[in-house]
Coordinates of all heavy atoms in Angstrom, one line a residue:
M1 N 26.4 66.8 132.8 CA 27.4 67.3 133.8 C 28.3 66.2 134.2 O 27.9 65.0 134.3 CB 26.7 68.0 135.0 CG 25.7 69.1 134.6 SD 26.5 70.6 134.0 CE 26.8 71.5 135.5
T2 N 29.6 66.5 134.5 CA 30.6 65.5 134.9 C 31.2 66.1 136.1 O 31.6 67.2 136.2 CB 31.7 65.5 133.8 OG1 31.0 65.2 132.6 CG2 32.7 64.4 134.1
W3 N 31.5 65.1 137.1 CA 32.2 65.5 138.3 C 33.6 65.5 138.0 O 34.2 64.4 137.5 CB 31.8 64.5 139.4 CG 30.5 64.8 140.0 CD1 29.3 64.1 139.6 CD2 30.0 65.7 140.9 NE1 28.2 64.6 140.3 CE2 28.7 65.6 141.1 CE3 30.7 66.7 141.6 CZ2 27.9 66.4 142.0 CZ3 30.0 67.5 142.5 CH2 28.7 67.4 142.7
I4 N 34.4 66.6 138.3 CA 35.8 66.5 138.2 C 36.5 67.0 139.5 O 35.8 67.7 140.3 CB 36.3 67.5 137.0 CG1 35.9 69.0 137.3 CG2 35.7 67.1 135.7 CD1 36.4 70.0 136.4
R5 N 37.7 66.5 139.7 CA 38.4 66.9 140.9 C 39.0 68.2 140.7 O 39.8 68.4 139.8 CB 39.5 65.8 141.2 CG 40.3 66.1 142.5 CD 41.4 65.1 142.6 NE 42.2 65.2 143.8 CZ 43.2 66.2 144.0 NH1 43.5 66.9 142.9 NH2 43.8 66.3 145.1
A6 N 38.8 69.1 141.7 CA 39.3 70.5 141.6 C 40.7 70.6 142.4 O 41.6 71.1 141.9 CB 38.3 71.5 142.2
C7 N 40.7 70.0 143.5 CA 41.9 70.0 144.4 C 41.6 69.2 145.6 O 40.5 68.6 145.7 CB 42.2 71.5 144.8 SG 40.8 72.3 145.8
S8 N 42.5 69.1 146.5 CA 42.3 68.5 147.8 C 41.9 69.6 148.7 O 42.2 70.8 148.6 CB 43.5 67.8 148.3 OG 44.4 68.7 148.9
V9 N 41.1 69.2 149.8 CA 40.7 70.1 150.8 C 41.7 71.0 151.3 O 41.6 72.2 151.6 CB 39.9 69.3 151.9 CG1 39.5 70.3 153.0 CG2 38.6 68.7 151.4
D10 N 42.9 70.4 151.5 CA 44.1 71.1 152.1 C 44.8 72.0 151.2 O 45.5 72.9 151.7 CB 45.1 70.1 152.6 CG 44.6 69.1 153.7 OD1 43.6 69.5 154.3 OD2 45.2 68.0 153.8
E11 N 44.5 71.9 149.9 CA 45.2 72.8 149.0 C 44.6 74.2 148.9 O 45.3 75.1 148.3 CB 45.1 72.2 147.6 CG 46.1 71.1 147.4 CD 46.0 70.3 146.1 OE1 44.8 70.0 145.7 OE2 47.0 70.2 145.4
L12 N 43.4 74.5 149.4 CA 42.8 75.7 149.2 C 42.4 76.3 150.6 O 41.5 75.8 151.2 CB 41.5 75.5 148.3 CG 40.9 76.8 147.7 CD1 41.8 77.5 146.9 CD2 39.6 76.4 147.0
D13 N 43.1 77.3 151.0 CA 42.9 77.9 152.3 C 41.6 78.7 152.4 O 41.2 79.2 151.3 CB 44.1 78.7 152.8 CG 45.3 77.8 153.0 OD1 45.1 76.6 153.4 OD2 46.4 78.3 152.9
D14 N 41.1 79.0 153.5 CA 40.0 79.9 153.7 C 40.3 81.3 153.1 O 41.4 81.8 153.4 CB 39.7 80.1 155.3 CG 38.5 80.9 155.6 OD1 37.8 81.3 154.6 OD2 38.4 81.4 156.7
G15 N 39.4 81.8 152.3 CA 39.7 83.1 151.7 C 40.5 83.0 150.4 O 40.7 84.1 149.7
D16 N 40.8 81.8 149.9 CA 41.5 81.6 148.6 C 40.6 81.1 147.6 O 39.5 80.6 147.8 CB 42.7 80.6 148.8 CG 43.9 81.4 149.5 OD1 43.8 82.6 149.7 OD2 44.8 80.7 149.8
A17 N 41.1 81.1 146.3 CA 40.4 80.6 145.2 C 41.4 80.1 144.2 O 42.6 80.4 144.2 CB 39.6 81.8 144.5
L18 N 40.9 79.2 143.4 CA 41.7 78.7 142.3 C 40.8 78.6 141.0 O 39.6 78.5 141.1 CB 42.3 77.3 142.6 CG 41.4 76.1 142.9 CD1 40.9 75.5 141.6 CD2 42.2 75.1 143.7
R19 N 41.5 78.6 139.9 CA 40.8 78.6 138.6 C 41.0 77.3 138.0 O 42.2 76.7 137.8 CB 41.4 79.7 137.7 CG 40.8 79.9 136.3 CD 41.5 81.0 135.6 NE 40.8 81.4 134.4 CZ 41.0 81.0 133.2 NH1 41.8 80.0 133.0 NH2 40.3 81.5 132.2
L20 N 39.9 76.6 137.5 CA 40.0 75.4 136.8 C 40.0 75.6 135.3 O 39.2 76.5 134.8 CB 38.8 74.5 137.1 CG 38.7 74.1 138.6 CD1 37.4 73.2 138.8 CD2 39.9 73.5 139.2
D21 N 40.9 75.0 134.5 CA 40.9 75.3 133.0 C 39.9 74.4 132.3 O 40.2 73.7 131.4 CB 42.3 75.1 132.5 CG 43.3 76.2 132.9 OD1 42.8 77.3 133.0 OD2 44.4 75.8 133.1
T22 N 38.6 74.5 132.8 CA 37.5 73.9 132.2 C 36.9 74.8 131.1 O 37.4 75.9 130.9 CB 36.5 73.6 133.2 OG1 36.3 74.8 134.0 CG2 36.9 72.5 134.2
T23 N 36.0 74.3 130.4 CA 35.2 75.1 129.3 C 33.8 75.1 129.8 O 33.1 74.1 129.6 CB 35.4 74.4 128.0 OG1 36.8 74.2 127.7 CG2 34.8 75.3 126.9
P24 N 33.3 76.3 130.2 CA 34.0 77.5 130.5 C 34.8 77.3 131.8 O 34.6 76.5 132.6 CB 32.9 78.5 130.7 CG 31.7 77.7 131.2 CD 31.8 76.4 130.5
P25 N 35.8 78.2 132.0 CA 36.5 78.2 133.3 C 35.7 78.3 134.5 O 34.7 79.1 134.5 CB 37.5 79.4 133.2 CG 37.5 79.8 131.8 CD 36.1 79.4 131.2
I26 N 36.0 77.6 135.5 CA 35.3 77.6 136.8 C 36.3 78.0 137.9 O 37.5 77.6 137.9 CB 34.7 76.2 137.1 CG1 33.7 75.8 136.1 CG2 34.2 76.1 138.5 CD1 33.2 74.4 136.1
A27 N 35.8 78.9 138.8 CA 36.6 79.3 140.0 C 36.0 78.6 141.2 O 34.8 78.4 141.4 CB 36.5 80.8 140.2
V28 N 36.9 78.0 142.0 CA 36.5 77.4 143.2 C 37.0 78.2 144.4 O 38.2 78.6 144.4 CB 37.2 75.9 143.3 CG1 36.6 75.3 144.6 CG2 36.7 75.1 142.1
F29 N 36.2 78.5 145.3 CA 36.5 79.4 146.5 C 36.3 78.7 147.8 O 35.4 77.8 147.9 CB 35.5 80.6 146.5 CG 35.5 81.4 145.3 CD1 34.8 81.2 144.2 CD2 36.3 82.6 145.3 CE1 34.8 81.9 143.0 CE2 36.3 83.4 144.2 CZ 35.6 83.1 143.0
N30 N 37.1 79.0 148.7 CA 37.0 78.5 150.1 C 36.4 79.6 150.9 O 37.2 80.6 151.2 CB 38.2 77.9 150.7 CG 38.1 77.3 152.1 OD1 37.2 77.8 152.9 ND2 39.0 76.6 152.5
V31 N 35.2 79.6 151.4 CA 34.6 80.6 152.2 C 34.4 80.1 153.6 O 33.4 79.3 153.8 CB 33.3 81.1 151.6 CG1 32.7 82.2 152.5 CG2 33.6 81.7 150.2
E32 N 35.3 80.3 154.5 CA 35.1 79.8 155.9 C 34.9 78.3 155.9 O 34.1 77.8 156.6 CB 34.1 80.5 156.6 CG 34.3 82.0 156.7 CD 33.2 82.8 157.4 OE1 32.1 82.2 157.6 OE2 33.4 84.0 157.6
G33 N 35.7 77.6 155.1 CA 35.6 76.1 155.1 C 34.6 75.6 154.1 O 34.5 74.4 154.0
E34 N 33.8 76.4 153.6 CA 32.7 76.0 152.6 C 33.3 76.2 151.2 O 33.8 77.3 150.9 CB 31.5 76.9 152.9 CG 30.3 76.4 151.9 CD 29.0 77.3 152.2 OE1 29.1 78.2 152.9 OE2 28.1 77.0 151.5
F35 N 33.3 75.1 150.4 CA 33.7 75.2 149.1 C 32.6 75.5 148.1 O 31.6 74.9 148.1 CB 34.5 73.9 148.6 CG 35.7 73.7 149.4 CD1 35.7 73.0 150.7 CD2 37.0 74.1 149.0 CE1 36.8 72.8 151.4 CE2 38.1 74.0 149.8 CZ 38.1 73.3 151.0
L36 N 32.9 76.5 147.2 CA 31.9 77.0 146.4 C 32.5 77.1 144.9 O 33.6 77.6 144.8 CB 31.4 78.4 146.8 CG 30.8 78.5 148.2 CD1 30.7 79.9 148.7 CD2 29.3 77.8 148.2
A37 N 31.7 76.8 143.9 CA 32.2 76.9 142.5 C 31.3 77.8 141.7 O 30.1 77.6 141.7 CB 32.3 75.5 141.9
L38 N 31.9 78.7 140.9 CA 31.2 79.5 140.1 C 31.9 79.7 138.8 O 33.1 79.4 138.7 CB 30.9 80.9 140.7 CG 30.2 81.0 142.1 CD1 31.2 81.0 143.2 CD2 29.3 82.2 142.1
A39 N 31.2 80.3 137.8 CA 31.9 80.7 136.6 C 33.0 81.6 137.0 O 32.9 82.5 137.8 CB 30.9 81.4 135.6
D40 N 34.2 81.5 136.3 CA 35.4 82.2 136.7 C 35.4 83.6 136.0 O 36.0 84.5 136.6 CB 36.7 81.5 136.3 CG 37.9 82.3 136.7 OD1 38.1 82.6 137.9 OD2 38.7 82.6 135.8
V41 N 34.8 83.7 134.9 CA 34.9 84.9 134.1 C 33.8 85.9 134.5 O 32.6 85.6 134.5 CB 34.8 84.6 132.6 CG1 34.9 85.9 131.8 CG2 35.9 83.6 132.2
C42 N 34.2 87.1 134.9 CA 33.3 88.2 135.3 C 32.3 88.4 134.2 O 32.6 88.3 133.0 CB 34.0 89.5 135.6 SG 33.0 90.8 136.1
T43 N 31.0 88.6 134.6 CA 29.9 88.9 133.6 C 30.0 90.3 133.0 O 29.2 90.6 132.0 CB 28.5 88.6 134.1 OG1 28.3 89.5 135.3 CG2 28.4 87.2 134.5
H44 N 30.9 91.1 133.5 CA 31.1 92.5 132.9 C 32.2 92.4 131.8 O 32.1 93.2 130.8 CB 31.4 93.5 134.0 CG 31.7 94.8 133.4 ND1 32.9 95.4 133.6 CD2 30.9 95.8 132.8 CE1 32.9 96.6 132.9 NE2 31.6 96.8 132.6
G45 N 33.3 91.7 132.1 CA 34.4 91.7 131.1 C 35.0 90.3 131.1 O 34.3 89.3 131.3
Q46 N 36.3 90.3 130.9 CA 36.9 88.9 130.8 C 37.8 88.7 132.0 O 38.8 87.9 132.0 CB 37.8 88.9 129.5 CG 36.9 88.9 128.3 CD 36.0 87.7 128.2 OE1 36.5 86.6 128.4 NE2 34.7 88.0 128.0
S47 N 37.7 89.4 133.1 CA 38.6 89.2 134.2 C 38.2 87.9 135.0 O 37.1 87.5 135.1 CB 38.3 90.4 135.2 OG 39.2 90.2 136.3
S48 N 39.3 87.3 135.5 CA 39.2 86.0 136.2 C 38.8 86.4 137.7 O 39.5 87.1 138.4 CB 40.5 85.2 136.2 OG 40.5 84.2 137.2
L49 N 37.7 85.9 138.2 CA 37.3 86.1 139.5 C 38.1 85.4 140.5 O 38.1 85.7 141.7 CB 35.8 85.9 139.7 CG 34.9 86.9 138.8 CD1 33.5 86.4 138.9 CD2 35.1 88.3 139.3
A50 N 38.8 84.3 140.2 CA 39.8 83.6 141.0 C 40.9 84.7 141.5 O 41.5 84.4 142.5 CB 40.3 82.4 140.4
D51 N 41.1 85.6 140.6 CA 42.0 86.7 141.0 C 41.5 87.9 141.7 O 42.1 88.9 141.9 CB 42.7 87.2 139.7 CG 43.6 86.2 139.0 OD1 44.1 85.2 139.8 OD2 43.8 86.2 137.8
G52 N 40.2 87.8 142.0 CA 39.5 88.9 142.7 C 39.8 88.9 144.1 O 40.6 88.2 144.7
Y53 N 39.0 89.8 144.9 CA 39.2 90.1 146.3 C 38.1 89.4 146.9 O 36.9 89.7 146.7 CB 39.3 91.6 146.6 CG 40.3 92.3 145.7 CD1 39.8 93.1 144.7 CD2 41.6 92.1 145.9 CE1 40.7 93.8 143.8 CE2 42.5 92.7 145.0 CZ 42.1 93.6 144.0 OH 43.0 94.2 143.1
I54 N 38.3 88.5 147.9 CA 37.3 87.6 148.5 C 37.1 88.1 149.9 O 38.1 88.3 150.7 CB 37.8 86.2 148.5 CG1 38.0 85.7 147.1 CG2 36.7 85.3 149.2 CD1 38.9 84.5 147.0
E55 N 35.9 88.4 150.3 CA 35.6 88.9 151.6 C 34.1 88.7 151.9 O 33.2 89.1 151.2 CB 36.0 90.4 151.8 CG 36.0 90.8 153.2 CD 36.5 92.3 153.3 OE1 37.2 92.8 152.5 OE2 36.1 92.9 154.3
G56 N 33.8 88.1 153.1 CA 32.5 88.0 153.6 C 31.5 87.3 152.6 O 30.4 87.8 152.5
G57 N 31.9 86.2 152.0 CA 31.1 85.5 151.1 C 30.8 86.2 149.8 O 29.9 85.8 149.0
Q58 N 31.6 87.2 149.5 CA 31.5 87.9 148.2 C 32.9 87.9 147.5 O 34.0 87.8 148.2 CB 31.1 89.4 148.4 CG 29.8 89.4 149.1 CD 29.4 90.9 149.4 OE1 30.0 91.9 148.9 NE2 28.3 91.1 150.1
V59 N 32.9 88.1 146.2 CA 34.2 88.3 145.4 C 34.0 89.6 144.7 O 33.0 89.9 144.2 CB 34.5 87.2 144.5 CG1 33.5 86.9 143.5 CG2 35.9 87.4 143.9
E60 N 35.1 90.4 144.8 CA 35.1 91.7 144.0 C 36.0 91.5 142.8 O 37.2 91.2 143.0 CB 35.6 92.8 145.0 CG 35.5 94.2 144.3 CD 36.1 95.2 145.3 OE1 37.2 95.1 145.8 OE2 35.3 96.2 145.6
C61 N 35.5 91.8 141.7 CA 36.3 91.7 140.5 C 37.5 92.7 140.5 O 37.4 93.8 141.0 CB 35.4 92.1 139.2 SG 36.3 92.0 137.7
A62 N 38.7 92.2 140.1 CA 39.9 92.9 140.2 C 39.9 94.1 139.1 O 40.7 95.0 139.2 CB 41.1 92.0 140.0
W63 N 39.0 94.0 138.1 CA 39.1 95.0 137.0 C 38.3 96.2 137.3 O 38.8 97.3 137.4 CB 38.7 94.4 135.7 CG 39.7 93.6 135.1 CD1 40.9 93.2 135.6 CD2 39.8 93.2 133.7 NE1 41.6 92.5 134.7 CE2 41.0 92.4 133.5 CE3 38.9 93.2 132.6 CZ2 41.3 91.8 132.3 CZ3 39.2 92.6 131.5 CH2 40.5 92.0 131.3
H64 N 37.0 96.1 137.5 CA 36.2 97.3 137.7 C 35.3 97.1 139.0 O 34.4 97.9 139.2 CB 35.2 97.5 136.6 CG 35.9 97.5 135.2 ND1 35.7 96.4 134.3 CD2 36.8 98.2 134.7 CE1 36.5 96.6 133.3 NE2 37.2 97.6 133.4
F65 N 35.7 96.2 139.9 CA 35.2 96.1 141.2 C 33.8 95.8 141.4 O 33.1 96.1 142.5 CB 35.6 97.4 142.0 CG 37.0 97.8 141.7 CD1 37.3 99.1 141.1 CD2 38.0 97.0 142.2 CE1 38.6 99.4 140.9 CE2 39.4 97.4 142.0 CZ 39.7 98.5 141.3
A66 N 33.2 95.1 140.4 CA 31.8 94.6 140.6 C 31.9 93.5 141.7 O 32.9 92.8 141.7 CB 31.2 94.0 139.3
K67 N 30.9 93.4 142.5 CA 30.8 92.3 143.5 C 29.8 91.3 143.2 O 28.7 91.6 142.7 CB 30.6 92.9 144.9 CG 31.7 93.8 145.5 CD 31.4 94.3 146.8 CE 32.5 95.2 147.3 NZ 32.3 95.7 148.7
F68 N 30.1 90.0 143.5 CA 29.2 88.9 143.3 C 29.1 88.1 144.6 O 30.0 88.0 145.4 CB 29.8 88.0 142.3 CG 29.8 88.6 140.9 CD1 31.0 89.2 140.5 CD2 28.8 88.6 140.0 CE1 31.1 89.8 139.3 CE2 28.9 89.1 138.8 CZ 30.0 89.8 138.4
D69 N 27.9 87.7 144.9 CA 27.6 86.7 146.0 C 28.1 85.4 145.6 O 27.7 84.7 144.6 CB 26.1 86.7 146.3 CG 25.7 85.9 147.5 OD1 26.2 84.7 147.6 OD2 25.0 86.4 148.3
L70 N 29.0 84.8 146.4 CA 29.7 83.5 146.2 C 28.7 82.3 146.3 O 29.0 81.3 145.8 CB 30.9 83.3 147.0 CG 32.1 84.2 146.5 CD1 33.2 84.1 147.6 CD2 32.6 83.9 145.2
R71 N 27.7 82.5 147.1 CA 26.7 81.4 147.3 C 25.7 81.3 146.2 O 25.2 80.3 145.8 CB 26.1 81.5 148.7 CG 27.1 81.3 149.7 CD 26.4 81.0 151.1 NE 27.5 80.7 152.1 CZ 28.3 81.4 152.7 NH1 28.2 82.8 152.3 NH2 29.3 81.1 153.5
T72 N 25.2 82.5 145.6 CA 24.1 82.5 144.7 C 24.6 82.9 143.3 O 23.9 82.7 142.3 CB 23.0 83.5 145.1 OG1 23.6 84.9 145.0 CG2 22.6 83.2 146.5
G73 N 25.8 83.5 143.2 CA 26.3 84.0 141.8 C 25.7 85.4 141.6 O 26.0 86.0 140.5
A74 N 24.8 85.9 142.4 CA 24.2 87.2 142.1 C 25.1 88.3 141.9 O 26.1 88.4 142.7 CB 23.1 87.5 143.1
A75 N 24.9 89.3 140.9 CA 25.7 90.4 140.8 C 25.2 91.4 141.8 O 24.0 91.8 141.8 CB 25.6 91.0 139.4
L76 N 26.0 91.9 142.7 CA 25.6 92.8 143.8 C 25.8 94.3 143.5 O 25.1 95.1 144.1 CB 26.3 92.4 145.1 CG 26.1 90.9 145.6 CD1 27.0 90.6 146.8 CD2 24.6 90.7 145.9
T77 N 26.8 94.6 142.8 CA 27.1 95.9 142.4 C 27.4 96.1 141.0 O 27.9 95.2 140.4 CB 28.3 96.5 143.3 OG1 29.5 95.7 143.0 CG2 28.0 96.3 144.8
L78 N 27.2 97.3 140.4 CA 27.6 97.6 139.1 C 29.2 97.7 139.0 O 29.8 97.9 140.1 CB 27.0 99.1 138.8 CG 25.5 99.1 138.6 CD1 25.1 100.6 138.4 CD2 25.1 98.3 137.5
P79 N 29.7 97.6 137.9 CA 29.1 97.5 136.6 C 28.6 96.2 136.1 O 28.0 96.2 135.1 CB 30.2 98.0 135.7 CG 31.5 97.5 136.3 CD 31.2 97.6 137.8
A80 N 28.7 95.1 136.9 CA 28.1 93.9 136.5 C 26.6 93.9 136.8 O 26.2 94.4 137.9 CB 28.8 92.7 137.2
T81 N 25.8 93.3 135.9 CA 24.4 93.2 136.2 C 23.9 91.7 136.1 O 22.9 91.4 136.6 CB 23.6 94.1 135.2 OG1 23.9 93.7 133.8 CG2 23.8 95.5 135.5
A82 N 24.6 90.9 135.3 CA 24.2 89.5 135.1 C 24.8 88.7 136.2 O 26.0 88.8 136.5 CB 24.6 89.1 133.7
P83 N 24.2 87.6 136.7 CA 24.7 86.7 137.6 C 25.7 85.8 137.0 O 25.8 85.5 135.9 CB 23.5 85.9 138.1 CG 22.5 86.0 137.0 CD 22.8 87.3 136.3
L84 N 26.5 85.2 137.9 CA 27.4 84.1 137.5 C 26.7 82.7 137.6 O 25.9 82.5 138.5 CB 28.6 84.1 138.5 CG 29.5 85.3 138.5 CD1 30.4 85.2 139.7 CD2 30.3 85.5 137.3
C85 N 27.1 81.8 136.7 CA 26.6 80.4 136.9 C 27.2 79.9 138.1 O 28.4 80.1 138.4 CB 27.1 79.6 135.7 SG 26.2 79.8 134.2
T86 N 26.5 79.0 138.8 CA 27.0 78.4 140.0 C 27.0 76.9 139.7 O 26.3 76.3 138.8 CB 26.1 78.6 141.2 OG1 24.8 78.1 141.0 CG2 26.2 80.0 141.6
Y87 N 28.0 76.2 140.3 CA 28.2 74.7 140.0 C 28.1 73.9 141.4 O 28.6 74.5 142.4 CB 29.5 74.5 139.3 CG 29.5 75.2 138.0 CD1 30.2 76.4 137.8 CD2 28.9 74.6 136.9 CE1 30.2 77.1 136.6 CE2 29.0 75.2 135.6 CZ 29.7 76.5 135.5 OH 29.7 77.1 134.3
Q88 N 27.6 72.8 141.3 CA 27.6 71.9 142.5 C 29.0 71.5 143.0 O 29.9 71.2 142.1 CB 26.8 70.6 142.2 CG 25.3 70.9 141.9 CD 24.6 71.4 143.1 OE1 24.7 70.9 144.3 NE2 23.8 72.4 142.9
V89 N 29.2 71.4 144.2 CA 30.5 71.0 144.9 C 30.1 69.8 145.9 O 29.1 69.9 146.5 CB 31.2 72.2 145.6 CG1 32.4 71.6 146.3 CG2 31.5 73.3 144.6
R90 N 31.0 68.8 145.9 CA 30.8 67.8 147.0 C 32.3 67.5 147.4 O 33.2 67.6 146.6 CB 30.1 66.6 146.5 CG 30.6 65.7 145.4 CD 29.8 64.6 145.2 NE 30.1 63.9 144.0 CZ 31.1 62.9 143.8 NH1 31.8 62.6 144.8 NH2 31.3 62.4 142.6
I91 N 32.4 67.1 148.6 CA 33.7 66.7 149.1 C 33.7 65.1 149.1 O 32.8 64.5 149.7 CB 33.9 67.2 150.6 CG1 33.7 68.7 150.7 CG2 35.3 66.7 151.1 CD1 34.7 69.4 149.8
D92 N 34.7 64.6 148.5 CA 34.8 63.1 148.3 C 36.1 62.7 149.0 O 37.2 62.8 148.4 CB 34.8 62.7 146.9 CG 34.7 61.3 146.6 OD1 34.7 60.5 147.6 OD2 34.6 60.8 145.5
G93 N 36.0 62.2 150.3 CA 37.2 62.0 151.0 C 37.9 63.3 151.3 O 37.4 64.1 152.0
S94 N 39.1 63.4 150.8 CA 39.8 64.7 150.8 C 39.8 65.5 149.6 O 40.5 66.5 149.5 CB 41.3 64.5 151.3 OG 42.0 63.7 150.3
D95 N 39.0 65.1 148.6 CA 39.0 65.8 147.3 C 37.8 66.7 147.2 O 36.7 66.3 147.7 CB 38.9 64.8 146.2 CG 40.2 63.9 146.0 OD1 41.2 64.4 146.5 OD2 40.0 62.8 145.5
V96 N 38.0 67.9 146.6 CA 36.9 68.8 146.3 C 36.5 68.5 144.9 O 37.3 68.6 144.0 CB 37.4 70.3 146.4 CG1 36.2 71.2 146.1 CG2 37.9 70.5 147.9
M97 N 35.3 68.0 144.7 CA 34.8 67.6 143.4 C 33.7 68.8 143.0 O 32.9 69.2 143.8 CB 34.1 66.3 143.4 CG 34.9 65.2 144.0 SD 36.3 64.7 143.1 CE 35.5 64.1 141.6
V98 N 33.8 69.1 141.6 CA 33.0 70.1 141.1 C 32.2 69.4 139.9 O 32.8 68.7 139.1 CB 33.8 71.3 140.5 CG1 32.9 72.3 139.9 CG2 34.5 72.0 141.7
E99 N 30.9 69.8 139.8 CA 30.1 69.2 138.7 C 30.2 70.2 137.6 O 29.6 71.3 137.5 CB 28.6 69.1 139.1 CG 27.8 68.3 138.1 CD 26.5 68.0 138.6 OE1 25.9 68.7 139.4 OE2 25.9 66.9 138.2
A100 N 31.0 69.9 136.5 CA 31.3 70.8 135.4 C 30.5 70.4 134.2 O 30.0 69.2 134.1 CB 32.8 70.7 135.0
P101 N 30.3 71.3 133.2 CA 29.6 70.9 132.0 C 30.3 69.8 131.3 O 31.5 69.6 131.4 CB 29.7 72.2 131.2 CG 29.9 73.3 132.2 CD 30.7 72.7 133.3
D102 N 29.5 69.0 130.5 CA 29.9 67.8 129.9 C 31.2 67.8 129.0 O 31.8 66.8 128.9 CB 28.8 67.1 129.2 CG 27.9 66.4 130.1 OD1 28.3 65.9 131.1 OD2 26.7 66.2 129.7
E103 N 31.4 68.9 128.4 CA 32.5 68.9 127.4 C 33.9 68.8 128.1 O 34.9 68.7 127.5 CB 32.5 70.1 126.5 CG 32.6 71.4 127.2 CD 31.2 72.0 127.4 OE1 30.2 71.2 127.6 OE2 31.0 73.2 127.3
N104 N 33.9 68.8 129.5 CA 35.2 68.7 130.2 C 35.6 67.3 130.5 O 34.8 66.4 130.6 CB 35.1 69.5 131.5 CG 35.0 71.0 131.2 OD1 36.0 71.6 130.8 ND2 33.9 71.5 131.3
Ligands
FES201 S1 35.5 92.9 134.3 FE1 34.6 92.5 136.2 S2 33.7 94.5 136.7 FE2 34.5 94.8 134.8

């Protein structure tokens, strides 16, 4: 695993997300000031979860509305049944750092 810089703390507001063009893509979420990183691609289809609807520590897929827990990656509602991979996040100064797979 390799630590990569996702953004600065100021660039991602509470309730927002951004997509990193890593392999595989990673989505970084700000949930009430807590930064969380998960696989960006929904486990049901190919939708980007960074484009989903974020509320209450969950993201709802924009395609078929499956919900995932942003802290655990768990699939909470159908049609998704498989969890999302989660990635470690640390704050380094003002930078949000994500531990991505090695090929990045
Ligand atoms: S692609 Fe996400 S619920 Fe279908």
Side-chain angles (χ1 to χ4, degrees):
M1 303 291 270
T2 306
W3 287 97
I4 61 170
R5 181 184 180 278
C7 61
S8 77
V9 171
D10 295 342
E11 283 174 312
L12 195 60
D13 292 333
D14 181 13
D16 280 353
L18 61 80
R19 182 181 196 269
L20 303 179
D21 286 326
T22 48
T23 307
I26 294 174
V28 182
F29 298 85
N30 179 339
V31 178
E32 297 175 352
E34 181 180 5
F35 292 89
L36 303 163
L38 302 96
D40 180 58
V41 180
C42 180
T43 59
H44 176 249
Q46 293 297 309
S47 182
S48 168
L49 293 172
D51 292 336
Y53 310 106
I54 302 160
E55 194 176 333
Q58 300 176 7
V59 62
E60 184 179 57
C61 179
W63 280 14
H64 313 110
F65 312 116
K67 291 183 180 177
F68 296 90
D69 185 309
L70 288 171
R71 292 191 174 80
T72 67
L76 301 174
T77 63
L78 294 172
T81 54
L84 298 167
C85 283
T86 60
Y87 299 96
Q88 295 292 315
V89 176
R90 66 177 164 85
I91 306 301
D92 189 357
S94 61
D95 293 332
V96 179
M97 306 293 294
V98 175
E99 192 173 30
D102 273 335
E103 58 263 36
N104 292 286

